């Protein structure tokens, strides 16, 4: 809700957290893993959806895209329904599970559906938000807890990493591998 509030303010959308709280509190309980999707209209109207979660691959196979994103693109820094840049990147690599986004400076940003974690010298890192990524909820918690530090990673440095993981609030931390 905090991330939604920040994006609403940035884009000039009406936003009332009480409206969301009321709608969410009225949802029927679920017995299997589901995701909660909140879609905010410019007017402040909120669409609340509860959707089943499909099984996820392990490890997640990652590839590099053939294009770059801009580190200042607000649609990469805010979670919105405008996912064209992510959809294009994934369409080029249907042979993998996800694509690692790279910005105009050659810095790794995130994947198309999760934040990226990488290990170097027995420490876990994630690209800083200044590289242009989304402030993921699970990512933020890991950084705040000191389990992961922010550090710029150039795409050329990916082979020097000891391990990769992707992280999201929905699925947590999952092992990942980089494929050609």
């Amino acid at each position: 809700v905090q991330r939604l509030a920040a994006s609403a303010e940035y884009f000039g959308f009406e936003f009332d957290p009480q409206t969301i709280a009321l709608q969410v509190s009225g949802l029927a309980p679920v017995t299997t893993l589901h995701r909660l999707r909140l879609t905010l209209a410019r007017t402040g109207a909120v669409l609340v959806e509860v959707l089943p979660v499909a099984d996820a691959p392990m490890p997640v196979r990652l590839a590099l895209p053939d294009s770059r994103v801009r580190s200042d693109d607000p649609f990469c820094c805010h979670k919105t329904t405008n996912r064209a840049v992510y959809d294009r990147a994934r369409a080029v690599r249907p042979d993998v599970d996800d694509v690692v986004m790279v910005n105009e400076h050659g810095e790794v940003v995130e994947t198309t559906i999760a934040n990226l974690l990488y290990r170097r010298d027995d420490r876990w890192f994630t690209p800083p938000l200044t590289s242009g990524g989304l402030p993921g909820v699970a990512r933020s918690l890991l950084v705040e807890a000191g389990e992961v530090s922010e550090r710029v990673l150039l795409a050329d440095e990916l082979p020097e990493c000891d391990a990769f993981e992707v992280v999201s609030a929905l699925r947590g931390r999952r092992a990942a591998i980089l494929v050609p």
Side-chain angles (χ1 to χ4, degrees), residues 80-116:
T80 72
T81 55
N82 181 349
R83 295 196 41 85
V85 68
Y86 300 112
D87 294 342
R88 280 192 302 272
R90 287 190 78 166
V92 173
R93 292 300 307 260
D95 58 313
V96 297
D97 304 311
D98 204 353
V99 174
V100 175
M101 305 302 286
V102 178
N103 72 19
E104 75 276 18
H105 306 295
E107 299 169 354
V108 171
V109 178
E110 62 184 349
T111 75
T112 66
I113 57 172
N115 290 114
L116 182 71

Side-chain angles (χ1 to χ4, degrees), residues 33-151:
L33 183 61
H34 281 67
R35 66 182 172 142
L36 177 68
R37 179 170 34 195
L38 305 174
T39 306
L40 179 68
R42 185 170 295 280
T43 61
V46 179
L47 173 63
V48 177
E49 298 174 279
V50 178
L51 305 163
V53 175
D55 290 337
M58 283 289 273
V60 179
R61 294 171 302 128
L62 303 173
L64 288 171
D66 64 350
S67 61
R68 302 284 172 106
V69 296
R70 293 206 39 88
S71 57
D72 61 353
D73 182 345
F75 295 106
C76 291
C77 303
H78 293 273
K79 193 164 189 172
T80 72
T81 55
N82 181 349
R83 295 196 41 85
V85 68
Y86 300 112
D87 294 342
R88 280 192 302 272
R90 287 190 78 166
V92 173
R93 292 300 307 260
D95 58 313
V96 297
D97 304 311
D98 204 353
V99 174
V100 175
M101 305 302 286
V102 178
N103 72 19
E104 75 276 18
H105 306 295
E107 299 169 354
V108 171
V109 178
E110 62 184 349
T111 75
T112 66
I113 57 172
N115 290 114
L116 182 71
L117 306 178
Y118 62 95
R119 192 177 74 218
R120 289 186 75 170
D121 302 321
D122 293 323
R123 293 186 55 207
W124 283 99
F125 299 96
T126 189
L129 297 179
T130 55
S131 292
L134 184 68
V137 173
R139 176 203 180 277
S140 297
L141 293 172
L142 291 170
V143 171
E144 288 171 17
E147 293 180 42
V148 173
S149 300
E150 291 184 328
R151 181 177 173 208

